[in-house]
Amino acid sequence: MSYSAHSTAISADSAAEIRAARQADYVAFLHRVPFAIDAFSLGYVTGFREDCTYQQGQYETLELGVGMLDNDFRNPDLERYIDRFREYEPRVGVLGDAYSVEDARGYVRAARDLQASYPESELVIVPKCREAIDAIPEELVLGYPRGYSDQLAHEFSDPADWRGRRVHILGASPRKQVNAIEALTRPTLSGDPPADIVGLDWNGLHRGAQFGEFWSADGWDDSGRDADHVTIRKLVRHSLGRIKAFWQAQDIWPETQLHDEDVDLEYEGPTLSDLSSAACEACGANVWTTDRGPFVAEYDTGEIYGYCSYDCYFEHRTQNRLEEIVDEHSVYMPPPP
């Protein structure tokens, strides 16, 4: 752990308090299956944003469970979110962004209603102005906007405003997140209590993986860019492992997991019912009219395409540089009886 130069002489009790404050209860990764399976197996809390219906369906199929449910910040609707929360019963729920005291009070009322039925869930409200911080009671978690946000925490507040509070770091790469954690927990001359880092999440791994890169503590690494065996899924999984090791070295990775690590999950790929059209994506022919039946492929973009033949599948995939997420191969589905 690193401290500022003027604060190295701290008591053992203070050092222990800071270590406990820095250690998160959970580290979340919000994405769809099968990426969520890989994160789940590594000990991440997995989940999705409430508007991602494709993700929801895959979670339900695998009975994966929703560890964290984020709100649709681009199109917020508190009543809709509460309905989703009651449907999925997540361990962590981000209710919404409070741009005013009135916003904060509305989210607080909703949080208290949910707490009555789900006392074990962590409920997060994201202040987007200084006044909203004080309007959120201490039993609720403050969402610290650090990543992709129209209002970042440092733009409307100082680290001292968050100290003594329970905090979830929302977004940004691990290096930026650890800088925020340092600012919120390191000792100060005035003896301010550290913030309690409850959790953090970041979902930016696919951006680098699209270009053949994985995350490392030293920055994005493109050493596997030209390797034939490298796929988007493998790069994301490798990045997740690197991030876990990074947080463990920082004493931030949680000591205990929120789910059973022995759960055995296997992704089987898309089914025939996932096809939105019978037309071959490459040539437009009806995929059911061929002797061999359709090829169904799911890509890292989240799209599922059907093809009337292997030739159409292979040509369309290579011509458009599409990357599949079910290992390296297409998913072949037999024709209907």
Side-chain angles (χ1 to χ4, degrees):
M1 183 186 305
S2 61
Y3 301 103
S4 57
H6 63 264
S7 58
T8 53
I10 61 174
S11 68
D13 289 343
S14 295
E17 180 187 19
I18 293 171
R19 283 195 296 272
R22 285 168 56 95
Q23 187 170 64
D25 295 335
Y26 57 85
V27 178
F29 177 73
L30 307 185
H31 214 284
R32 58 191 168 83
V33 176
F35 302 106
I37 293 177
D38 300 328
F40 188 90
S41 66
L42 288 169
Y44 288 82
V45 167
T46 55
F48 47 77
R49 205 173 68 198
E50 60 164 316
D51 58 315
C52 298
T53 55
Y54 182 61
Q55 295 175 11
Q56 294 172 16
Q58 293 184 326
Y59 272 74
E60 292 168 355
T61 299
L62 285 172
E63 299 183 354
L64 185 61
V66 179
M68 179 173 170
L69 180 66
D70 199 0
N71 71 317
D72 181 5
F73 62 92
R74 293 188 179 91
N75 180 31
D77 185 314
L78 184 55
E79 290 187 8
R80 182 190 63 217
Y81 180 84
I82 291 174
D83 289 341
R84 296 288 184 273
F85 189 100
R86 294 187 182 279
E87 179 181 0
Y88 294 108
E89 302 182 2
R91 175 67 175 77
V92 181
V94 182
L95 274 69
D97 299 345
Y99 289 91
S100 66
V101 171
E102 187 58 34
D103 285 345
R105 290 172 178 166
Y107 287 123
V108 169
R109 288 192 294 269
R112 285 175 171 159
D113 287 343
L114 289 173
Q115 281 179 322
S117 301
Y118 309 96
E120 300 301 320
S121 293
E122 293 285 11
L123 300 177
V124 183
I125 301 174
V126 187
K128 291 296 184 75
C129 69
R130 173 62 188 81
E131 295 76 16
I133 296 176
D134 293 334
I136 301 170
E138 293 187 0
E139 71 266 20
L140 298 174
V141 179
L142 298 178
Y144 187 91
R146 185 65 187 88
Y148 179 75
S149 176
D150 58 345
Q151 297 261 14
L152 299 177
H154 70 270
E155 295 174 341
F156 62 84
S157 65
D158 295 321
D161 299 326
W162 303 78
R163 284 179 167 268
R165 301 297 302 268
R166 303 172 69 236
V167 174
H168 175 109
I169 308 294
L170 286 161
S173 66
R175 280 293 181 189
K176 293 180 179 179
Q177 287 183 332
V178 81
N179 288 340
I181 292 172
E182 289 282 359
L184 298 176
T185 61
R186 63 189 170 207
T188 63
L189 291 174
S190 57
D192 297 327
D196 179 8
I197 305 303
V198 174
L200 53 150
D201 72 272
W202 180 50
N203 315 309
L205 299 178
H206 294 73
R207 189 173 305 166
Q210 296 284 348
F211 300 98
E213 301 175 356
F214 59 86
W215 186 90
S216 76
D218 297 321
W220 289 99
D221 189 317
D222 65 354
S223 59
R225 179 174 294 178
D226 298 325
D228 292 336
H229 67 280
V230 170
T231 66
I232 299 290
R233 184 179 179 185
K234 287 181 178 179
L235 287 168
V236 170
R237 183 166 55 225
H238 189 67
S239 291
L240 287 168
R242 293 273 187 137
I243 291 173
K244 178 178 180 178
F246 175 79
W247 289 131
Q248 288 174 325
Q250 298 285 335
D251 292 327
I252 292 173
W253 187 263
E255 286 186 347
T256 58
Q257 305 302 320
L258 297 184
H259 59 72
D260 185 357
E261 295 183 35
D262 295 328
V263 174
D264 185 23
L265 299 171
E266 183 177 352
Y267 181 61
E268 298 180 354
T271 65
L272 294 175
S273 62
D274 292 318
L275 285 177
S276 59
S277 171
C280 174
E281 187 65 30
C283 71
N286 190 312
V287 297
W288 305 112
T289 59
T290 59
D291 293 334
R292 297 184 62 185
F295 282 79
V296 181
E298 179 182 353
Y299 298 102
D300 62 279
T301 58
E303 296 173 300
I304 296 176
Y305 291 152
Y307 302 94
C308 66
S309 67
Y310 182 85
D311 289 340
C312 276
Y313 148 74
F314 185 77
E315 180 181 355
H316 185 259
R317 187 185 74 169
T318 54
Q319 181 178 349
N320 294 279
R321 303 177 65 86
L322 296 171
E323 182 65 50
E324 291 175 72
I325 60 174
V326 188
D327 298 323
E328 294 80 35
H329 304 291
S330 172
V331 181
Y332 174 75
M333 307 298 296

